[in-house]
Amino acid sequence: MQTSYLLKNGCVISMDAQVGQYNRADVLIEDSLITAIQPDLDIPDVEIIDASGMIILPGLVDTHRHMWESLVKTAGTNWSLPVYLQNLYYGALGSKLRPQDSYIGNLLGSLEALNAGVTTVLDWSMPYSPEHADELIRGLQDAGIRAVYAHGIPGETNYWNRDSQLTYSNDVRRVKEQYFSSRDQLLTFGLAIRGPEFSHWDTTVKEIQLAQELDAICSMHAGFGSWGSVDRSISRLYEAGLLSPRVNVVHGNTMGLDEYKMLADSGASLSVTPEVEMMMGHGYPATGYFLEHGGTPTLGVDVVTSTGGDMFSQMKFALQAERSRVNEQLLQQGDMPGELNLKSSQVLRFATSAGAQALGLEQKIGSLTPGKEADLIMIRTTDLNMFPVHDPIGAVVQFANPSNVDTVFVAGKPVKRGGKLLHVDLDAVRHAAMQSKEYLLTQYQMSDAERITFS
């Protein structure tokens, strides 16, 4: 089986300041690693891949997605956050999943991500039983994606409730030991906790301490919606010494300005999911506020009930929403903007190296660096929506879409080439997903308007 590849004559965006950017260079992959980046490499006994007319860059990193929701894709294009929660949780669609539905949901969602050049994702997961957890993990494994499986708390009753003391059973330790005994694998472990706005404070403290004990990324939704500015959850967490680089806060739209500095000073990460936040009522994306207070945000898709599962869209939303925020302030002062406040290169960093750091994977991925694992993508610049390219980074962030992704490698293994996913029977995946979708429809009845969208 071929394990060495030489990508020839591509435009290389490394996202590594020491490696730099090349208008034309070669990338050598040996086994799982990138071993050289420079022009005109001549290496025997490797498979040569013609990268001319393509941009080579690190695989995109999505720091927040609910993967199983690929089964209910497009259902929520008109849902606010409260309507979404009502239809997906609180005894609704999510609670009707069988283990086999969890498997195909995660497999389908992972394949969608890989097809769009997303090589790493944090799957913020809510298994309803140990069997569900096993199948969610198997779906990620079978797809061949790199992922942080963020293990949530099983159960529906009294789940999203700030008085809830529902917490993890001992099965969380079984999951960690069975599937995540080594860091030298594509899947790593996290906890998806509800945090102080959706569970009791004592429960939050206990679960952050559990994440520390299990050496797990700890991700929570916090600081958004109409309650974010009132609760001041980040302040409470900071004062209690519970924030650290292993803590990932999702959304954070309506936090106090001082809380962004607390988050940044602690090294905790912030996942901005701009499209969903602007649509569903979380609040305005916090991209600029976090930057202004010393942090570097990361990006996520969040829910594919309501938006497509690609990061190109999220990069564009994050970029233009933040530019619009600052431009509007200038207009209100009677001024016109000059130099735009946020650059495409910054946003590409949010979606690559910053995302890798937030997930504790910066030593492995996030940049094209010799010695790191070969998670990379190749984007065609000859497609009409891209051609001709003057600014490669701007082209990726503001022009590209999943159809331009020609080739995807994860840990040195090609999972997409020539625009097609490899090693997967997509017809069989679609058939299984349709069976799960139809099962869910028989188990839960939405309103007529919602069923028209969903059916």
Side-chain angles (χ1 to χ4, degrees):
M1 184 178 185
Q2 184 66 47
T3 59
S4 297
Y5 301 88
L6 184 60
L7 316 183
K8 293 287 292 182
N9 299 321
C11 170
V12 177
I13 302 172
S14 73
M15 304 307 295
D16 181 323
Q18 300 301 314
V19 174
Q21 184 172 323
Y22 292 89
N23 289 329
R24 185 187 66 82
D26 306 336
V27 178
L28 178 61
I29 300 170
E30 295 180 290
D31 296 321
S32 65
L33 302 179
I34 298 167
T35 55
I37 301 173
Q38 65 182 66
D40 303 319
L41 286 170
D42 184 12
I43 308 294
D45 302 322
V46 297
E47 180 177 342
I48 293 176
I49 297 177
D50 183 8
S52 58
M54 299 200 198
I55 298 170
I56 307 172
L57 70 151
L60 303 176
V61 179
D62 178 346
T63 60
H64 186 75
R65 190 184 304 208
H66 303 273
M67 296 294 277
W68 79 265
E69 292 180 14
S70 63
L71 288 178
V72 287
K73 198 176 296 176
T74 78
T77 58
N78 296 304
W79 288 352
S80 67
L81 178 60
V83 172
Y84 160 84
L85 290 171
Q86 195 65 43
N87 279 322
L88 268 290
Y89 301 105
Y90 299 131
L93 279 163
S95 66
K96 309 303 180 186
L97 290 168
R98 302 166 296 179
Q100 61 262 44
D101 304 320
S102 296
Y103 167 78
I104 196 63
N106 264 25
L107 177 61
L108 178 64
S110 297
L111 293 174
E112 179 187 13
L114 288 169
N115 186 63
V118 179
T119 55
T120 301
V121 66
L122 183 142
D123 176 22
W124 209 99
S125 191
M126 288 174 55
Y128 291 95
S129 71
E131 292 75 25
H132 285 81
D134 293 340
E135 291 300 283
L136 288 162
I137 293 167
R138 190 167 71 91
L140 298 171
Q141 290 173 328
D142 287 358
I145 198 168
R146 190 183 299 276
V148 175
Y149 170 73
H151 187 63
I153 299 161
E156 269 291 322
T157 305
N158 201 31
Y159 189 88
W160 300 105
N161 184 324
R162 65 179 64 230
D163 295 321
S164 174
Q165 297 189 40
L166 178 71
T167 191
Y168 290 93
S169 70
N170 283 331
D171 192 61
V172 69
R173 300 180 187 279
R174 191 268 311 176
V175 169
K176 173 71 187 296
E177 293 170 6
Q178 182 172 343
Y179 295 106
F180 305 99
S181 58
S182 170
R183 285 184 170 275
D184 189 24
Q185 56 187 42
L186 288 181
L187 298 191
T188 50
F189 189 60
L191 292 187
I193 75 168
R194 290 158 297 164
E197 291 162 22
F198 300 101
S199 67
H200 194 278
W201 171 256
D202 292 343
T203 303
T204 295
V205 173
K206 184 186 304 183
E207 290 173 354
I208 292 175
Q209 291 171 343
L210 176 63
Q212 293 169 347
E213 177 190 341
L214 297 176
D215 190 24
I217 292 291
C218 183
S219 181
M220 72 186 84
H221 305 81
F224 63 102
S226 58
W227 55 87
S229 60
V230 176
D231 283 17
R232 289 188 57 83
S233 299
I234 301 307
S235 178
R236 292 185 72 190
L237 291 166
Y238 181 78
E239 290 167 3
L242 294 172
L243 295 178
S244 75
R246 301 288 282 172
V247 170
N248 168 244
V249 172
V250 184
H251 304 313
N253 309 79
T254 56
M255 303 188 319
L257 294 180
D258 59 330
E259 291 183 295
Y260 294 111
K261 188 174 189 310
M262 294 174 193
L263 202 63
D265 288 349
S266 71
S269 62
L270 178 68
S271 293
V272 175
T273 66
E275 187 173 1
V276 160
E277 291 166 2
M278 294 176 75
M279 165 192 165
M280 296 178 73
H282 298 68
Y284 206 81
T287 307
Y289 297 123
F290 197 43
L291 282 169
E292 290 164 3
H293 290 85
T296 301
T298 70
L299 297 177
V301 166
D302 200 357
V303 294
V304 295
T305 58
S306 308
T307 185
D310 72 277
M311 290 286 283
F312 300 109
S313 297
Q314 303 315 314
M315 286 192 284
K316 283 192 278 285
F317 264 88
L319 181 65
Q320 310 308 6
E322 174 55 21
R323 286 173 168 176
S324 176
R325 180 184 73 89
V326 173
N327 290 347
E328 188 64 22
Q329 292 173 350
L330 292 169
L331 291 171
Q332 290 176 358
Q333 296 168 10
D335 296 325
M336 282 294 293
E339 190 77 13
L340 294 172
N341 65 304
L342 187 62
K343 308 300 183 195
S344 298
S345 57
Q346 291 174 274
V347 175
L348 187 57
R349 189 164 300 283
F350 303 164
T352 53
S353 56
Q357 182 171 356
L359 301 184
L361 298 171
E362 68 273 17
Q363 299 302 314
K364 287 187 173 185
I365 62 162
S367 66
L368 303 185
T369 303
K372 284 192 177 183
E373 298 207 17
D375 286 19
L376 58 82
I377 64 178
M378 295 164 52
I379 295 176
R380 287 188 304 274
T381 65
T382 53
D383 292 353
L384 291 179
N385 64 304
M386 298 281 286
F387 182 86
V389 171
H390 291 266
D391 172 4
I393 291 178
V396 171
V397 174
Q398 299 194 66
F399 287 79
N401 64 56
S403 73
N404 306 127
V405 178
D406 181 271
T407 299
V408 177
F409 278 82
V410 178
K413 178 182 177 181
V415 296
K416 183 179 183 180
R417 288 189 65 177
K420 295 187 181 300
L421 289 172
L422 306 176
H423 317 302
V424 61
D425 184 344
L426 287 178
D427 287 339
V429 172
R430 291 188 185 101
H431 178 71
M434 283 298 293
Q435 287 186 317
S436 286
K437 171 195 161 181
E438 294 303 325
Y439 169 79
L440 291 174
L441 281 175
T442 65
Q443 297 300 305
Y444 178 68
Q445 299 296 317
M446 291 183 285
S447 71
D448 290 342
E450 289 161 347
R451 278 190 61 86
I452 289 169
T453 303
F454 188 54
S455 300

